Amino acid sequence: MREITFAQAITEALDEEMARDPSVFIMGEDVGVYGGILGQLAGLFDKYGPDRVRDTPISETAIVGAAVGAAATGMRPVPEIMFCDFLGVPMDEILNQLTKMRYMFGGKAKLPIVIRTLIGAGIGAAAQHSQCLEALFMHIPGIKVVIPSTPYDAKGLLKSAIRDDSPVIYFEHKLLIVMPLKGEVPEEEYTIPLGKADIKREGKDVTVVATALMVHRALAAAAKLQEKGVSIEVIDPRTLVPLDKQTIIDSVKKTGRLVIMTEECKTGSSAAEIAAIVAEEAFDSLDAPIKRVNAPDTPVPFSPVLEKFYMPDEENLIKAVTEIV
Amino acid sequence: MREITFAQAITEALDEEMARDPSVFIMGEDVGVYGGILGQLAGLFDKYGPDRVRDTPISETAIVGAAVGAAATGMRPVPEIMFCDFLGVPMDEILNQLTKMRYMFGGKAKLPIVIRTLIGAGIGAAAQHSQCLEALFMHIPGIKVVIPSTPYDAKGLLKSAIRDDSPVIYFEHKLLIVMPLKGEVPEEEYTIPLGKADIKREGKDVTVVATALMVHRALAAAAKLQEKGVSIEVIDPRTLVPLDKQTIIDSVKKTGRLVIMTEECKTGSSAAEIAAIVAEEAFDSLDAPIKRVNAPDTPVPFSPVLEKFYMPDEENLIKAVTEIV
Amino acid sequence: MAIEKEKLIDMYHRMVRIRRFEEKVVDEFAAGRIVGFVHLYIGEEAVAVGACANLGDDDYITSTHRGHGHLIAKGGKTERMMAELFGKKTGYCKGKGGSMHIADVDIGILGANGIVGAGIPIAAGAALSAKLRGTAQVAICFFGDGASNTTRFHEGINLASAWKLPVVYVCENNMYAISVPQSKHQNIADIADRATAYGIPGVVVDGNDVIAVYEAVGEAVARARRGEGPTLIECKTYRHRGHFEGDPTPYRTKEEVDEWKKKDPISRFKGKLIEMGVLAEKEADEIDREMKGEIDKAVKFAEESPLPEPEETLEDVYA
Amino acid sequence: MAIEKEKLIDMYHRMVRIRRFEEKVVDEFAAGRIVGFVHLYIGEEAVAVGACANLGDDDYITSTHRGHGHLIAKGGKTERMMAELFGKKTGYCKGKGGSMHIADVDIGILGANGIVGAGIPIAAGAALSAKLRGTAQVAICFFGDGASNTTRFHEGINLASAWKLPVVYVCENNMYAISVPQSKHQNIADIADRATAYGIPGVVVDGNDVIAVYEAVGEAVARARRGEGPTLIECKTYRHRGHFEGDPTPYRTKEEVDEWKKKDPISRFKGKLIEMGVLAEKEADEIDREMKGEIDKAVKFAEESPLPEPEETLEDVYA
Ligand SMILES: Cc1ncc(C[n+]2csc(CCOP(=O)(O)OP(=O)(O)O)c2C)c(N)n1
Ligand SMILES: Cc1ncc(C[n+]2csc(CCOP(=O)(O)OP(=O)(O)O)c2C)c(N)n1
Ligand SMILES: [Mg+2]
Ligand SMILES: [Mg+2]
């Protein structure tokens, strides 16, 4: 099968959905001529023009607010917030309009909006351009949370997100784009349903749930642990809301051991929620404490030596696994 | 001992700290002549005047941003965001300035700021004026999170918060103010250290961790459960950051059972983090699944019948406890 | 005066309907049958009615926390509004929204809103949608003097002006943001001056003169439909009641309130209509009775409607 | 021209120091010894230097993502800056901040900032602090044309004007927000016109003329110190390099860049100083050599400085 990059997967998904449905349009900072700050939108401006690929002022509040107004009146906006770190700016629009309007109106409005945004450390971008903020959105009812780890997933999930009638936030890990990560993606059309985890590697001793970049580090750790005779099952939830907890619980029933690895700051992360679910709903299957491998509770530091220490890696995961097997 | 209301406890703390330290000042919407939307600041404007009790425009971004600038240059601002629901507006200032500046500057700035704000449902204020958002701030390193349940705690914790050299967010549950909840508070000065849980009731069968209004519902449930012969220990963390996990773990070691009850939407709540900590650090002491009693993952509905269903209550807690004893 | 008689009478109808609706809300709130935050529009009716009189059913409005007037002016049904205030299943939001969240998307009402200024970018978005879909729809966005200091005001109007969107921004300057007078919350006298910042027209209007509002907004709506972009219209007005029901109003004097009550937009309009020979005193009484009757029926409808089932709390989060 | 010779020469020094510093950064970034996002100020030096020449050590500035120039103009040490860019322990932020977060609170530098417009309310807060403490300090806030469309611009300047705070807002209009030209991100030609919205003076200045900037900002600083509140000053300028290092600049032409290079603020100022008889060509060369030497030393200092220990990641979160 042909291989494409993570960024190309995103471009293709947008391209196909825009071709398919004239109500889909993009708006954001430097999405036009620039093609997205990391090139995720290359070529779309030329193909669809300035009406459907709209450069905005630096006005994240207006971007999300206008998306709400456009969606409530029949469009399917795909706004971009360049880095997820900037989601604090339109947070009120997300917290009080986007995620609540349908409910407050008694089910009368439909808000088919996909907010695309970059997450993650690893390129020396420091504290305000490197965060992983998915947990904040997990905690706000009314928005689905998508966090792909491969070009295949990125494309299939983005297409489903755009077709979904509810608000979605879609996180792109910048290192997967910059590396660039390549992966197999069929020429034929496909979609991936939101809410379906993917078992990225089967195993029987320990369940590791990981997201985005951490999926790759978990797989690398799993390969090393295999050499030591420890068999790891790596589960990529792909969407945190809806969360496919059944796949996780089924795996824990098999392995009896769970480690959750995400790049977020540990306290209050998506890893906490997954741990809490398993401690509540699959307690009897557990043979060992639930471990979390996360970034520390600090901002992301700049210096490469500090940033490396900050980011969870294979060694951290191997250590956590070793403590419970 | 004399009894005062929850609102009076807050007023007294502010009054004493303003009298003590001329660098302390208040700013926010309707904090002046109006005395705070629920009267939490009654009398302070008359006593300290418009320079130190400053009515602001409806500009939450500027309120927090200006607090950062003032604090970095020697003042101790106590900004108010009327309802926590509005914290989405200055979220960027919180996420990227307030909580990160010290770190990004390599430890060179001190930001002694206390953001006061109202949380909670129960007065028919609907989706945009009733939320409990403490989990969002737990997940952002760099800010301490205070959530008192009694007038005594409210006063002692607020005084400590104002004296703390780090940013603090201080949540006032509106129902505790509106009821109004009264409680014993000594005339003499006292403070309560941040990071010290309070065992509001001792028990031996089940540990219940609860915050804010839920502490009172947990105590009411505990009284009923006592009649059925189930002995509940009720722990009020009082601060979620720093979290006194030792007191919780020690209690779980004694009881072997844990239920966490907060008014937040369940997914990604502070209850999830507490569950995850115990599942990670006190797994061997657990004899049963960790239960969470929370609001559902929905916005807060308006109609009193819906709002009542939405809010966790004694019955919900009794049911959860009954499932694990 | 080129306004047709029917139009004028219809506007008068709507103003009275709003007033009677809200007077009833005062009583029901006092009686404890309506709970929560209720912000009344009494004294400001000319703004909503004058503005909305320029719109059709498929045009849009965004409203505020003080929304009853806008909704009624745009054609909202008083019985479904009252039922919502009573928290009933037959309310516009099935009891989920309450006063601050009433909406009727089918007739272009994109919701009252509990977040000050939130409607400003939302209205821009609705206007963008109209533009992208190639319709002649416009959006009117209502907001207060206090809202003109929010993030949403600046980013929303800048976007609308940069993109020449068909939206009319109607600022209801009632001189206070809760307890804070305009002179303390901003260093300008006329909010319309802020139009300069976006290169769009800014207009000051007597907000208690429904015809003046109608005409100013009419021009702006025409401009918007021609594709020339947004206008900022400031309507100077006053709320007779406290910020919300229960407000002790320590921040203003009785004299000030009395002064403004003399400028009551409904009596003024009535006087004018009588003077113009368009309305007789008797007809005015008739309209008043009719509206009272409608509102009584609305209350009865609300009373007799069923409450939602508690489990409905869990519905309507996702589409 | 009432400016003293020493002052003029000092300003020239600072402009050259900024230029030499950043030219070195270009090389070090290309060599991979500096990583992350690096936004260069080359071509805009007159703004920072002209503005900061009005300040003392205890006055404040807030800077931007494009901060090197502001920091050097306000007295920041190039060796500690370079060490920070190298991620070293001796850097201003012990390696935790990098280019976008360099600060020196001791001399009033409240930080470069990776969030566009974030400095605007922060500067208002520093000015409020000065006012509350009863000092004569002022704050200068730098920001770009793009930043003038953000939430922070509006709320921050409105607050500063409502409270008459001693702050000067210096907008560096370099005609682009990354790839988006001003004409597309706002419907006005002069950002200074936005002063109208806050009832404060708005001034347009040639941002490549350091003396013009110095004088305009000087007047605003004096006004601020007199307690008369903020001023908005727009400096028209241009960045010679891409938005950040690595930017392929598909959004502008080489002709446009060349046109602006002809208006280079440093050569212009040098020409003027020579013309005024304040500086000789030889002295200018000497200054250049001196600055080059300083920057070479800064690089050496950075190179030879130790890296932070990985565990330092965990420090400095709480006070
Ligand atoms: C973002 C936000 N901040 C604060 C509030 C609290 N609040 C509700 S109404 C109001 C005053 C609004 O003033 P204005 O815009 O002039 O409208 P008016 O009430 O006068 O009609 C405030 C501060 C809010 N609802 N939303
Ligand atoms: C809130 C926010 N939104 C977007 C960005 C991404 N970004 C960084 S610089 C920039 C352009 C800034 O333009 P301008 O204010 O004109 O400053 P200039 O770069 O031209 O000096 C953008 C969009 C950001 N850093 N912060
Ligand atoms: Mg008002
Ligand atoms: Mg610019």
Side-chain angles (χ1 to χ4, degrees):
Chain A
M1 207 188 293
R2 71 179 180 144
E3 291 208 334
I4 64 173
T5 67
F6 201 84
Q8 283 165 337
I10 293 162
T11 319
E12 281 193 6
L14 290 166
D15 188 4
E16 290 176 17
E17 294 306 304
M18 288 181 81
R20 199 182 142 266
D21 181 348
S23 65
V24 176
F25 72 99
I26 292 171
M27 58 178 161
E29 293 154 21
D30 308 287
V31 297
V33 173
Y34 210 84
I37 203 72
L38 298 184
Q40 310 101 299
L41 306 164
L44 297 180
F45 180 76
D46 285 344
K47 182 156 176 193
Y48 295 102
D51 256 6
R52 293 184 67 195
V53 183
R54 307 183 76 88
D55 272 329
T56 66
I58 308 180
S59 299
E60 291 83 6
T61 296
I63 293 170
V64 177
V68 169
T73 56
M75 301 298 293
R76 302 187 89 86
V78 186
E80 171 175 316
I81 301 297
M82 194 184 283
F83 292 93
C84 83
D85 312 71
F86 310 156
L87 282 163
V89 181
M91 186 60 99
D92 180 69
E93 276 58 39
I94 296 172
L95 182 64
N96 288 316
Q97 312 300 332
L98 179 68
T99 56
K100 293 188 171 51
M101 192 179 264
R102 179 179 175 78
Y103 189 84
M104 296 187 300
F105 292 2
K108 285 288 286 196
K110 228 172 52 180
L111 294 167
I113 297 173
V114 183
I115 301 177
R116 294 178 39 254
T117 192
L118 288 164
I119 54 169
I123 63 165
Q128 297 172 336
H129 289 71
S130 304
Q131 297 170 76
C132 282
L133 296 177
E134 47 271 25
L136 301 186
F137 301 91
M138 250 184 119
H139 186 50
I140 304 174
I143 188 164
K144 300 184 181 179
V145 179
V146 180
I147 181 163
S149 67
T150 66
Y152 180 82
D153 291 350
K155 181 172 178 186
L157 292 166
L158 182 51
K159 284 170 66 83
S160 295
I162 293 171
R163 295 182 195 185
D164 200 290
D165 278 342
S166 295
V168 176
I169 188 158
Y170 180 92
F171 293 107
E172 303 166 7
H173 197 293
K174 60 174 80 68
L175 215 49
L176 298 176
I177 294 174
V178 170
M179 288 159 62
L181 178 75
K182 288 192 151 202
E184 293 194 340
V185 173
E187 305 270 1
E188 314 78 64
E189 197 182 4
Y190 68 98
T191 59
I192 298 172
L194 308 186
K196 189 86 207 62
D198 187 40
I199 301 176
K200 289 278 192 271
R201 176 191 173 108
E202 296 208 18
K204 56 183 188 20
D205 297 331
V206 179
T207 301
V208 172
V209 176
T211 55
L213 180 69
M214 294 301 125
V215 171
H216 302 279
R217 297 193 172 180
L219 289 170
K224 287 194 188 162
L225 283 162
Q226 192 67 60
E227 291 166 19
K228 298 191 197 169
V230 183
S231 162
I232 303 289
E233 177 142 307
V234 178
I235 296 178
D236 177 358
R238 300 197 291 197
T239 64
L240 291 169
V241 177
L243 181 68
D244 182 358
K245 53 184 187 178
Q246 202 51 55
T247 296
I248 297 170
I249 287 172
D250 288 346
S251 176
V252 171
K253 282 191 177 144
K254 176 170 71 173
T255 62
R257 289 177 165 74
L258 175 62
V259 181
I260 308 142
M261 181 184 200
T262 75
E263 193 182 315
E264 306 157 281
C265 295
K266 180 172 183 175
T267 296
S269 61
S270 65
E273 176 59 29
I274 293 168
I277 288 170
V278 172
E280 187 160 9
E281 301 181 29
F283 179 78
D284 294 334
S285 309
L286 284 170
D287 298 323
I290 301 172
K291 287 276 176 185
R292 290 184 282 166
V293 176
N294 293 101
D297 288 328
T298 76
V300 183
F302 163 67
S303 185
V305 293
L306 304 179
E307 192 187 34
K308 183 173 181 315
F309 179 84
Y310 174 91
M311 292 177 81
D313 62 16
E314 294 159 42
E315 296 313 312
N316 301 140
L317 179 57
I318 290 170
K319 181 162 174 291
V321 167
T322 311
E323 279 167 21
I324 54 165
V325 287
Chain B
M1 207 188 289
R2 72 178 178 140
E3 291 206 333
I4 63 173
T5 66
F6 200 85
Q8 283 166 339
I10 291 163
T11 319
E12 280 193 7
L14 290 165
D15 188 5
E16 289 176 18
E17 293 308 302
M18 288 180 80
R20 198 181 142 266
D21 181 346
S23 65
V24 177
F25 72 100
I26 292 170
M27 59 177 160
E29 294 155 20
D30 307 287
V31 297
V33 173
Y34 210 84
I37 203 74
L38 298 183
Q40 309 101 301
L41 306 165
L44 297 179
F45 180 76
D46 285 344
K47 185 158 175 190
Y48 295 101
D51 256 7
R52 294 184 66 196
V53 183
R54 309 182 75 89
D55 271 329
T56 64
I58 308 180
S59 298
E60 291 83 7
T61 296
I63 293 170
V64 176
V68 169
T73 56
M75 301 298 292
R76 303 187 88 87
V78 186
E80 172 176 316
I81 301 298
M82 194 183 282
F83 292 93
C84 82
D85 311 71
F86 311 157
L87 282 163
V89 181
M91 186 60 98
D92 181 69
E93 278 57 39
I94 296 172
L95 182 65
N96 288 316
Q97 311 299 332
L98 180 69
T99 56
K100 294 190 171 51
M101 192 180 264
R102 179 180 177 76
Y103 189 84
M104 295 186 301
F105 292 2
K108 285 289 286 196
K110 229 172 53 181
L111 294 167
I113 297 173
V114 183
I115 301 176
R116 294 178 38 256
T117 192
L118 289 164
I119 53 169
I123 64 164
Q128 295 171 338
H129 288 72
S130 304
Q131 297 170 78
C132 282
L133 296 177
E134 48 271 23
L136 301 186
F137 301 92
M138 249 182 121
H139 187 50
I140 304 173
I143 189 163
K144 299 184 180 179
V145 179
V146 180
I147 181 164
S149 67
T150 66
Y152 180 83
D153 291 348
K155 181 172 176 183
L157 292 166
L158 182 50
K159 284 170 66 80
S160 295
I162 293 172
R163 295 181 195 183
D164 201 289
D165 278 343
S166 293
V168 177
I169 188 159
Y170 180 92
F171 292 107
E172 304 167 7
H173 197 293
K174 59 173 79 69
L175 215 49
L176 298 175
I177 293 174
V178 169
M179 290 160 60
L181 178 74
K182 289 192 149 202
E184 292 194 339
V185 174
E187 306 271 1
E188 314 78 64
E189 198 183 1
Y190 68 97
T191 59
I192 298 172
L194 307 187
K196 189 84 207 60
D198 186 39
I199 301 178
K200 289 279 193 269
R201 176 191 174 112
E202 295 207 19
K204 56 185 186 23
D205 298 330
V206 179
T207 301
V208 172
V209 176
T211 55
L213 180 69
M214 293 301 125
V215 171
H216 302 280
R217 297 193 171 180
L219 289 170
K224 287 193 187 162
L225 284 161
Q226 192 66 60
E227 290 167 19
K228 298 191 195 169
V230 183
S231 163
I232 303 289
E233 177 142 308
V234 177
I235 296 178
D236 177 359
R238 300 195 292 198
T239 64
L240 290 169
V241 177
L243 179 69
D244 182 359
K245 54 184 187 180
Q246 202 51 55
T247 296
I248 297 169
I249 288 173
D250 287 346
S251 177
V252 170
K253 283 191 177 144
K254 178 169 71 175
T255 62
R257 290 176 163 78
L258 175 62
V259 182
I260 308 143
M261 180 185 200
T262 74
E263 193 181 316
E264 306 156 280
C265 295
K266 181 171 183 176
T267 296
S269 61
S270 64
E273 176 59 29
I274 292 169
I277 289 171
V278 172
E280 185 159 13
E281 300 182 31
F283 179 77
D284 295 333
S285 309
L286 284 171
D287 298 323
I290 300 172
K291 287 275 175 185
R292 290 183 282 167
V293 176
N294 292 101
D297 288 330
T298 76
V300 183
F302 163 68
S303 185
V305 294
L306 304 178
E307 192 186 34
K308 184 174 180 315
F309 179 84
Y310 174 89
M311 293 177 79
D313 62 15
E314 294 159 41
E315 298 314 311
N316 301 139
L317 179 56
I318 289 169
K319 181 162 173 291
V321 167
T322 311
E323 281 169 19
I324 56 166
V325 287
Chain C
M1 182 63 50
I3 314 172
E4 286 169 18
K5 180 178 161 175
E6 291 77 56
K7 186 89 197 171
L8 291 167
I9 298 295
D10 180 61
M11 283 160 72
Y12 185 70
H13 252 99
R14 286 175 200 246
M15 287 174 75
V16 176
R17 181 178 287 124
I18 296 171
R19 181 68 58 93
R20 291 295 94 81
F21 181 87
E22 292 215 313
E23 283 173 351
K24 187 59 86 177
V25 171
V26 170
D27 299 341
E28 297 294 337
F29 185 88
R33 303 210 297 173
I34 293 176
V35 300
F37 290 125
V38 175
H39 308 79
L40 298 185
Y41 198 64
I42 295 175
E44 308 188 21
E45 294 90 344
V47 181
V49 171
C52 289
N54 292 288
L55 300 184
D57 263 4
D58 61 342
D59 292 314
Y60 301 110
I61 66 163
T62 61
S63 172
T64 67
H65 55 288
R66 199 176 301 292
H68 306 155
H70 311 132
L71 309 182
I72 293 176
K74 184 68 167 64
K77 299 279 162 291
T78 48
E79 45 175 45
R80 295 200 58 201
M81 288 176 60
M82 193 64 84
E84 186 59 34
L85 298 185
F86 274 67
K88 296 300 181 72
K89 197 177 162 70
T90 55
Y92 263 120
C93 314
K94 305 192 222 158
K96 287 203 166 94
S99 173
M100 285 192 289
H101 307 299
I102 300 179
D104 187 350
V105 179
D106 295 336
I107 53 169
I109 300 174
L110 301 179
N113 210 312
I115 299 297
V116 171
I120 298 174
I122 294 175
L128 170 62
S129 162
K131 185 171 170 153
L132 288 172
R133 287 181 285 106
T135 72
Q137 293 164 292
V138 301
I140 290 182
C141 170
F142 296 100
F143 61 97
D145 51 299
S148 76
N149 299 323
T150 66
T151 65
R152 281 76 75 201
F153 175 89
H154 185 58
E155 291 202 356
I157 301 186
N158 185 64
L159 190 81
S161 70
W163 289 356
K164 291 219 184 316
L165 301 179
V167 51
V168 180
Y169 286 105
V170 176
C171 180
E172 310 180 305
N173 182 356
N174 62 9
M175 301 172 44
Y176 289 91
I178 307 190
S179 69
V180 184
Q182 189 199 350
S183 60
K184 290 214 175 139
H185 69 59
Q186 53 193 201
N187 192 33
I188 52 169
D190 291 331
I191 294 169
D193 287 350
R194 293 196 163 169
T196 310
Y198 313 107
I200 60 171
V203 183
V204 177
V205 179
D206 177 349
N208 283 21
D209 178 348
V210 67
I211 294 181
V213 174
Y214 174 67
E215 290 178 341
V217 174
E219 238 176 82
V221 164
R223 183 182 140 86
R225 294 207 209 272
R226 285 196 306 270
E228 294 169 22
T231 302
L232 175 59
I233 297 176
E234 175 185 8
C235 301
K236 310 264 192 190
T237 186
Y238 198 81
R239 59 169 156 78
H240 292 181
R241 299 197 57 81
H243 171 70
F244 42 37
E245 289 304 280
D247 174 4
T249 62
Y251 47 83
R252 67 182 193 182
T253 62
K254 189 171 171 321
E255 290 69 48
E256 183 181 291
V257 179
D258 289 344
E259 209 48 57
W260 274 95
K261 282 193 176 163
K262 289 187 201 145
K263 301 185 237 174
D264 181 66
I266 297 185
S267 357
R268 262 177 78 182
F269 191 36
K270 179 172 143 186
K272 186 155 195 172
L273 291 177
I274 291 176
E275 196 185 295
M276 290 165 73
V278 165
L279 184 78
E281 191 70 65
K282 230 187 66 180
E283 290 169 305
D285 290 350
E286 180 49 38
I287 290 174
D288 205 51
R289 249 193 315 277
E290 191 191 320
M291 290 301 108
K292 271 209 187 98
E294 175 183 323
I295 303 307
D296 285 342
K297 268 182 56 189
V299 169
K300 190 148 188 283
F301 174 78
E303 281 173 348
E304 292 175 355
S305 289
L307 287 166
E309 294 300 319
E311 291 71 22
E312 290 178 39
T313 299
L314 305 177
E315 297 166 7
D316 297 324
V317 181
Y318 295 94
Chain D
M1 182 66 46
I3 313 172
E4 287 170 15
K5 181 180 162 177
E6 290 78 55
K7 186 91 198 170
L8 291 168
I9 298 295
D10 180 61
M11 283 160 72
Y12 185 71
H13 253 98
R14 286 175 199 245
M15 287 174 75
V16 176
R17 181 178 288 125
I18 296 169
R19 181 69 57 94
R20 291 296 93 80
F21 181 87
E22 293 215 314
E23 284 173 349
K24 187 59 85 175
V25 171
V26 170
D27 299 340
E28 297 294 338
F29 185 89
R33 303 210 297 173
I34 292 176
V35 300
F37 290 126
V38 175
H39 308 78
L40 298 185
Y41 199 63
I42 294 175
E44 308 189 19
E45 295 90 343
V47 181
V49 171
C52 290
N54 292 288
L55 300 183
D57 265 3
D58 62 343
D59 292 314
Y60 302 112
I61 66 163
T62 61
S63 170
T64 68
H65 55 287
R66 197 176 303 289
H68 307 153
H70 310 131
L71 309 181
I72 292 175
K74 184 67 168 64
K77 299 279 162 290
T78 48
E79 43 174 48
R80 297 200 56 201
M81 288 175 61
M82 195 63 86
E84 186 60 33
L85 297 185
F86 275 67
K88 296 298 181 78
K89 195 175 162 72
T90 54
Y92 263 120
C93 314
K94 305 191 222 160
K96 288 204 165 90
S99 172
M100 285 192 289
H101 307 298
I102 300 178
D104 187 350
V105 179
D106 295 338
I107 54 168
I109 301 173
L110 301 179
N113 210 312
I115 299 297
V116 171
I120 298 174
I122 294 175
L128 170 62
S129 163
K131 185 170 170 156
L132 288 172
R133 287 181 285 105
T135 72
Q137 293 162 293
V138 301
I140 290 181
C141 170
F142 296 100
F143 61 96
D145 52 300
S148 76
N149 299 324
T150 66
T151 67
R152 283 75 75 199
F153 175 89
H154 185 60
E155 291 204 355
I157 302 186
N158 184 63
L159 191 80
S161 70
W163 290 357
K164 292 217 181 320
L165 301 178
V167 51
V168 180
Y169 286 104
V170 176
C171 179
E172 309 181 306
N173 183 355
N174 62 9
M175 299 171 48
Y176 289 90
I178 307 188
S179 70
V180 185
Q182 190 200 350
S183 60
K184 291 216 175 136
H185 67 62
Q186 54 194 201
N187 190 32
I188 52 171
D190 292 332
I191 294 169
D193 287 349
R194 293 197 163 170
T196 311
Y198 314 106
I200 60 171
V203 183
V204 177
V205 179
D206 177 348
N208 283 20
D209 177 347
V210 67
I211 293 180
V213 173
Y214 174 67
E215 290 178 341
V217 174
E219 237 176 83
V221 164
R223 183 182 139 86
R225 293 206 209 273
R226 286 196 307 270
E228 293 168 24
T231 302
L232 174 59
I233 297 176
E234 175 185 7
C235 302
K236 311 262 193 193
T237 185
Y238 198 81
R239 58 170 157 75
H240 292 182
R241 299 197 57 82
H243 171 70
F244 42 36
E245 288 306 280
D247 175 5
T249 63
Y251 47 84
R252 65 183 194 184
T253 62
K254 190 172 171 319
E255 290 68 46
E256 183 182 291
V257 178
D258 289 344
E259 210 46 57
W260 274 94
K261 282 192 177 163
K262 288 188 202 145
K263 301 186 235 173
D264 181 65
I266 298 185
S267 359
R268 262 177 78 183
F269 190 36
K270 178 173 145 187
K272 186 152 194 174
L273 290 176
I274 290 175
E275 196 185 294
M276 289 164 72
V278 165
L279 184 78
E281 191 70 68
K282 230 186 66 180
E283 288 167 309
D285 291 348
E286 179 50 37
I287 291 172
D288 206 49
R289 252 194 313 278
E290 193 190 320
M291 292 300 108
K292 272 209 187 99
E294 175 183 323
I295 303 305
D296 286 341
K297 268 181 57 188
V299 170
K300 190 147 188 284
F301 173 80
E303 283 174 345
E304 293 176 356
S305 289
L307 287 166
E309 294 301 319
E311 291 72 20
E312 289 179 39
T313 298
L314 306 176
E315 297 166 8
D316 298 322
V317 182
Y318 295 94

